[in-house]
Amino acid sequence: MQTFHLPDVGEGLTEAEIVAWRVKPGDDLGINDVVADIETAKSVVELPSPYAGVVGELLVAEGDTVDVGTAIITIADAGADPSDDGAPDAAGASADDGPADAPAAEEGGGSVLVGYGSGGEASTRRRRKKQENAPAQAVGVLAKPPVRKLARDLGVDLADVRATGSVGEVTRDDVLRHAEQASVFRNISTPEWPAVREEKIPVEPVAAAEPVLSPPGRIESIPVKGVRKATATGMVKSAYTAPHVSVWTDVDASRTMEYVKRLKASPDFADVKISPLLIVARAVIWAVQRTPTINAAWVEEEDGAKIHVRHYVNLGIAAATPRGLLVPNIKDAQDLSMRDLAKALERLTITARDGRTTPEDQRDGTITITNIGVFGMDAGTPIINPGEAGIVAMGAIRQKPWVVDGEVRPRWVTTVSGSFDHRIIDGDKISRFIADIASVLEEPALLLD
């Protein structure tokens, strides 16, 4: 009997949540077959098995968060009784000796799951390919891991959801539609007040991710882990390390709205989603080129602090997802054409919405845009993403009275705001940067420079 411990999957992992098991006791298992979906601080990833055999016992429940090195599953030799505890038989052999072709793996904490060897690889390749191309099945229901996670977050039982997917799987829209109709909600964004009036925070760690309520209660306690824990840690570090300064200005964005309308009508952009965010992204890249220190980072080195100015733009877009706030970035955005930038923004949005954003997507950002306008907000003072020196907030674009040539006219008006690390950037450069973005929104033809 082999015991598989939670490994470090290669991103400095210290703990992870078991989002969903892909196997059950008695299942046949090949080397590299996926046993579970785990959620780290940055992404949901598949966890492959380093052993071949028969699934014995699942030692951790779905929803539990455990440390690296924790035993999570037992795997018996093929043909062995999975309930066998591994005691020596009459010949003195133990099931823990493992199959002859199984690779050696450390069972101590902190081991990295790498190098499964060639044994068993060919025999499991076809099965893995099938798993990768088909939605995962849980309790008789076909659904991809991000969809199952969304259902769990919304309190939806997948068995009750009518599936509309092409192969009979439950889709994200199916879950949202069911949740919208469920009696516990009036709608997704405005849940009813709980019947209980008071909540008591338990002394023992919470096993599941669901809110914990103790009647009578008015306060709801949600365990802080995964993306929320990583976000909180990063934001506290940023807020109390980098001295923030924020500025903002109102902008007549009427010509930007006309430009967006023309792009939508252009055959060259027929298959791409176009929005004002595309123009804002292009404006930020243009403004960075004119004020490069906006795109810098403060780095503590052995011989003292340094300012690293990046002469490239990995443009981060803050995304509100079912898993929390993520900031994937578009690598080398300065090299992209308007069409390629539009496609990159579309891919980023779809990937984040579907819960497929990877840790690599979020690494090495240089400056971030947060589009608070989609929530109806006009301006804000956002916290800088760690490792960067500035973040731009784009407000809602609304028709407002605006003075043009001495006359009051209805115009499309927005507010551009931002926060910056005052250790790196002085007020004049901050103001120039925001003014440059505003200038492009007022006259997109500046992008032809």
Side-chain angles (χ1 to χ4, degrees):
M1 181 77 71
Q2 303 286 350
T3 301
F4 182 24
H5 296 73
L6 179 67
D8 180 347
V9 294
E11 53 181 276
L13 180 70
T14 60
E15 64 179 17
E17 175 187 346
I18 305 298
V19 175
W21 284 108
R22 297 280 199 95
V23 296
K24 62 182 182 298
D27 283 355
D28 291 332
L29 196 63
I31 294 174
N32 284 342
D33 281 355
V34 176
V35 297
D37 300 314
I38 63 172
E39 181 176 15
T40 70
K42 292 188 175 180
S43 63
V44 175
V45 297
E46 296 178 337
L47 185 64
S49 170
Y51 308 115
V54 180
V55 175
E57 183 180 359
L58 306 182
L59 304 176
V60 178
E62 289 186 355
D64 281 0
T65 297
V66 295
D67 294 332
V68 167
T70 300
I72 61 173
I73 184 174
T74 61
I75 302 166
D77 294 351
D81 182 357
S83 63
D84 188 354
D85 63 2
D89 57 22
S94 170
D96 281 335
D97 291 340
D101 62 350
E106 291 184 13
E107 295 192 2
S111 60
V112 178
L113 187 63
V114 295
Y116 303 119
S118 58
E121 176 67 21
S123 65
T124 61
R125 186 175 298 145
R126 181 176 300 174
R127 188 185 330 184
R128 291 200 311 276
K129 185 174 181 181
K130 181 178 179 182
Q131 288 176 336
E132 291 168 0
N133 293 337
Q137 185 169 4
V139 197
V141 178
L142 285 171
K144 294 180 179 179
V147 175
R148 294 204 307 273
K149 180 67 167 59
L150 174 63
R152 194 157 66 88
D153 290 343
L154 296 177
V156 171
D157 186 345
L158 285 175
D160 297 334
V161 179
R162 186 171 68 88
T164 64
S166 59
V167 293
E169 79 276 18
V170 175
T171 67
R172 179 179 182 275
D173 289 341
D174 295 337
V175 172
L176 291 174
R177 188 181 305 110
H178 183 88
E180 192 77 52
Q181 297 169 351
S183 60
V184 70
F185 290 112
R186 298 182 201 177
N187 55 56
I188 293 299
S189 58
T190 312
E192 293 180 353
W193 283 99
V196 293
R197 295 176 57 83
E198 185 178 344
E199 181 274 341
K200 186 181 295 182
I201 299 176
V203 174
E204 297 295 326
V206 179
E210 287 76 20
V212 177
L213 297 175
S214 300
R218 293 180 52 158
I219 301 173
E220 183 178 340
S221 175
I222 301 175
V224 178
K225 55 185 177 180
V227 172
R228 174 54 53 196
K229 184 175 181 179
T231 300
T233 300
M235 292 299 98
V236 168
K237 182 178 180 181
S238 176
Y240 289 97
T241 301
H244 285 51
V245 61
S246 299
V247 296
W248 53 88
T249 186
D250 292 336
V251 183
D252 178 359
S254 299
R255 290 189 177 179
T256 284
M257 298 301 284
E258 293 170 1
Y259 186 34
V260 168
K261 185 177 180 180
R262 289 198 299 272
L263 289 179
K264 287 182 177 180
S266 170
D268 293 338
F269 290 83
D271 61 339
V272 185
K273 182 178 179 181
I274 305 297
S275 74
L277 179 60
L278 171 62
I279 315 305
V280 175
R282 197 70 171 179
V284 168
I285 296 168
W286 183 78
V288 163
Q289 189 174 7
R290 290 163 57 84
T291 310
T293 49
I294 292 287
N295 201 44
W298 183 277
V299 179
E300 297 287 350
E301 298 183 352
E302 290 184 0
D303 58 344
K306 303 287 177 60
I307 294 174
H308 288 190
V309 180
R310 283 80 64 101
H311 297 295
Y312 59 91
V313 179
N314 288 348
L315 184 63
I317 306 294
T321 76
R323 293 179 52 236
L325 177 66
L326 302 178
V327 190
N329 62 77
I330 299 170
K331 304 293 192 287
D332 288 313
Q334 78 284 351
D335 294 334
L336 300 181
S337 66
M338 185 71 83
R339 174 181 166 79
D340 288 341
L341 183 60
K343 291 180 73 69
L345 285 168
E346 185 175 28
R347 284 194 300 269
L348 180 149
T349 301
I350 293 173
T351 300
R353 181 191 65 197
D354 293 344
R356 294 184 287 109
T357 301
T358 67
E360 179 60 30
D361 294 332
Q362 300 176 74
R363 290 192 184 106
D364 303 323
T366 64
I367 191 166
T368 295
I369 299 172
T370 177
N371 186 10
I372 60 176
V374 297
F375 306 111
M377 298 296 102
D378 293 323
T381 55
I383 295 177
I384 303 164
N385 200 35
E388 301 175 13
I391 180 170
V392 176
M394 185 65 194
I397 303 177
R398 313 176 193 273
Q399 277 203 316
K400 293 182 179 180
W402 193 264
V403 177
V404 180
D405 296 331
E407 297 180 357
V408 177
R409 301 178 186 176
R411 304 289 285 180
W412 290 103
V413 177
T414 188
T415 302
V416 180
S417 56
S419 297
F420 305 91
D421 187 339
H422 217 333
R423 296 174 301 176
I424 299 173
I425 315 157
D426 295 331
D428 59 336
K429 293 182 178 180
I430 294 169
S431 299
R432 174 181 173 177
F433 177 72
I434 291 295
D436 281 345
I437 297 173
S439 296
V440 171
L441 296 181
E442 290 176 346
E443 183 47 82
L446 288 172
L447 295 175
L448 298 177
D449 287 355

